[in-house]
C-alpha cells in the first residue's frame, strides 16, 4: 500500500488508476470500516482510503484531541484488506490556511437529529468530504449506514453539485450482542460495554412495534427514551423518520428508519435501524 501525505503526490500516483473506489475514514479502524473497504473492492479497479481526523467536524467541547489515533495498526489493516493507496494528510496539507469556504448543507437536513446536538457537524463533514473528493477524484465512494444522516447529506451534496461520484451505502456491522461497531466504543468501561447494547435493543423494540402495525410513533419514541433513562443513560433523541430525507413521516408512510443517540457515562453512542 502506498501512503501519500500531499494532494499533489496522491494525484500523481493515481494517474492511470482506472475506476477509483474510495473509503474516507478518521482512522481507529474496526470491522465496520474493513467491511466498507471490502465492499469498495467490488466497485472499482483501485481502492483508495483516507485517514484524517477532521477538526472542522468537532465541536469545541468534543473529543478532537482525545480521538484515538492508531496510524500503524490502521495501515496494517488497510493493506491487509487490499487498499492500494492511503491518503493521510497532515492538518497543514488539508487546511494550510483557516478554512474560509464551507459546504453548508440544507439546514432542514443538517440541523435536525445529529445536527441539533452537534451544531456545525455536517458543515464540517460536508466541507472535508468535498475536499477529499477533490483530492482523490473517485468514481465511487462508500459510506456506512451507521452514520445514516451523514450518508444522506453526502448523497444530496453529490447530487446538488453534480459530482460524478456514485455513493454506495455500507451496512452497519454489529457485535454479537447487537452493539453497532464504532471507534467511540473504545471509550466504554467494561460495565458500560455490557450495558451499551440496550440502545440497539430499545430501538429494535420500536422497529418491531412498527412492523406489528403500531402507528403511534411518538409513544414508541418516548417509550425507548424512558427505558434508556431508567437505565442511567441520557438519551438525546429516539426518532422515527422517513429513510429518504429523515423528515417526519405521514400516517401511512413506509420506508422508515429509527434513529437514536444517547450518552452512556461520557460516551455518546448513535445507532439506527431501517424498518
Ligand atoms: O464518517 C467519518 O469517519 C467521517 O465523518 C468522514 C466521512 C471520514 C469525514 O471526516
Amino acid at each position: 500500500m502506498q501512503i501519500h501525505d500531499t494532494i499533489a503526490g496522491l494525484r500523481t500516483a493515481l494517474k492511470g488508476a482506472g475506476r477509483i473506489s474510495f473509503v474516507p475514514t478518521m482512522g481507529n479502524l474496526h470491522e465496520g470500516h474493513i467491511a466498507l473497504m471490502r465492499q469498495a473492492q467490488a466497485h472499482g479497479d483501485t481502492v483508495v482510503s483516507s485517514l484524517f481526523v477532521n477538526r472542522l467536524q468537532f465541536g469545541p467541547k468534543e473529543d478532537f484531541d482525545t480521538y484515538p489515533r492508531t496510524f500503524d495498526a490502521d495501515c496494517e489493516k488497510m493493506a491487509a484488506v487490499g487498499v492500494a493507496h492511503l491518503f493521510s494528510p497532515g492538518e497543514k496539507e488539508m487546511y494550510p490556511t483557516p478554512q474560509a469556504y464551507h459546504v453548508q448543507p440544507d439546514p432542514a437536513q443538517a440541523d435536525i437529529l445529529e445536527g441539533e446536538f452537534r451544531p456545525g457537524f455536517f458543515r464540517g463533514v460536508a466541507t472535508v468530504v468535498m475536499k477529499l473528493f477533490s483530492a482523490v477524484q473517485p468514481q465511487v465512494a462508500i459510506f456506512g449506514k451507521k452514520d445514516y444522516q451523514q450518508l444522506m447529506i453526502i448523497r444530496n451534496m453529490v447530487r446538488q453539485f453534480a459530482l460524478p461520484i456514485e455513493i454506495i451505502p455500507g451496512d452497519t456491522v454489529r457485535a454479537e450482542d447487537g452493539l453497532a461497531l464504532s471507534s467511540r466504543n473504545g471509550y466504554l468501561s467494561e460495565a458500560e460495554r455490557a450495558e451499551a447494547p440496550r440502545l440497539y435493543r430499545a430501538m429494535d423494540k420500536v422497529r418491531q412495534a412498527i412492523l406489528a402495525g403500531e402507528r403511534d410513533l411518538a409513544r414508541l419514541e418516548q417509550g425507548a427514551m424512558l427505558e434508556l433513562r431508567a437505565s442511567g443513560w441520557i438519551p438525546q433523541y429516539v426518532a422515527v423518520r422517513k429513510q429518504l430525507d429523515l423528515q417526519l413521516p405521514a400516517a401511512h408512510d413506509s420506508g422508515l428508519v429509527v434513529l437514536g443517540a444517547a450518552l452512556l457515562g461520557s460516551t455518546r453512542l448513535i445507532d439506527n435501524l431501517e424498518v
Side-chain angles (χ1 to χ4, degrees):
M1 182 176 75
Q2 292 183 34
I3 302 176
H4 312 277
D5 59 7
T6 65
I7 295 173
L10 173 75
R11 283 192 181 146
T12 304
L14 290 181
K15 279 196 183 115
R19 187 173 161 85
I20 295 172
S21 193
F22 178 47
V23 183
T25 83
M26 296 205 301
N28 195 231
L29 302 187
H30 51 67
E31 271 307 312
H33 296 107
I34 304 302
L36 301 182
M37 289 168 193
R38 276 201 200 98
Q39 203 176 339
Q41 307 276 7
H43 290 279
D45 306 310
T46 303
V47 176
V48 177
S49 190
S50 63
L51 195 171
F52 179 67
V53 183
N54 172 38
R55 184 185 289 278
L56 290 191
Q57 69 191 71
F58 288 79
K61 293 195 184 130
E62 292 186 349
D63 54 346
F64 175 76
D65 289 328
T66 53
Y67 197 83
R69 287 158 172 89
T70 51
F71 183 77
D72 292 341
D74 291 342
C75 286
E76 266 179 41
K77 289 177 187 167
M78 285 186 190
V81 74
V83 172
H85 297 267
L86 167 62
F87 178 48
S88 80
E91 184 106 358
K92 281 251 155 62
E93 180 67 10
M94 282 303 271
Y95 303 124
T97 52
Q99 187 70 20
Y101 288 70
H102 295 92
V103 178
Q104 177 64 63
D106 179 356
Q109 295 175 352
D111 291 359
I112 57 169
L113 304 166
E114 282 300 281
E116 185 183 338
F117 292 92
R118 305 186 69 187
F121 171 65
F122 289 114
R123 181 172 102 140
V125 168
T127 302
V128 80
V129 169
M130 183 64 102
K131 206 152 177 175
L132 290 168
F133 283 171
S134 155
V136 176
Q137 303 190 4
Q139 280 68 47
V140 184
I142 323 280
F143 285 82
K145 283 192 195 176
K146 163 76 174 27
D147 296 296
Y148 208 86
Q149 197 173 356
Q150 168 174 281
L151 169 64
M152 177 196 68
I153 285 172
I154 297 300
R155 231 190 217 139
N156 288 339
M157 177 183 89
V158 163
R159 267 191 214 127
Q160 288 236 317
F161 287 106
L163 303 180
I165 304 172
E166 187 185 349
I167 301 297
I168 296 186
D171 286 336
T172 301
V173 178
R174 298 182 180 280
E176 265 182 26
D177 59 9
L179 178 66
L181 298 193
S182 160
S183 299
R184 291 192 168 97
N185 292 351
Y187 296 149
L188 298 169
S189 69
E190 207 175 311
E192 287 169 344
R193 174 61 191 82
E195 170 63 20
R198 188 181 302 280
L199 178 62
Y200 164 75
R201 289 199 302 267
M203 289 170 56
D204 194 43
K205 267 190 213 158
V206 175
R207 189 173 79 102
Q208 297 299 343
I210 297 170
L211 289 173
E214 171 69 61
R215 295 308 290 188
D216 188 345
L217 302 181
R219 198 179 69 80
L220 295 177
E221 292 166 355
Q222 278 158 24
M225 302 262 284
L226 276 175
E227 177 184 338
L228 290 167
R229 214 169 275 129
S231 304
W233 295 63
I234 304 177
Q236 293 184 328
Y237 62 85
V238 173
V240 181
R241 295 295 173 98
K242 290 190 284 181
Q243 287 176 17
L244 203 61
D245 55 9
L246 300 187
Q247 303 302 308
L248 289 168
H252 295 289
D253 278 344
S254 54
L256 304 180
V257 55
V258 187
L259 304 114
L263 287 163
L264 180 56
S266 55
T267 305
R268 186 171 185 278
L269 298 177
I270 64 170
D271 204 347
N272 65 79
L273 292 168
E274 288 177 331
V275 184

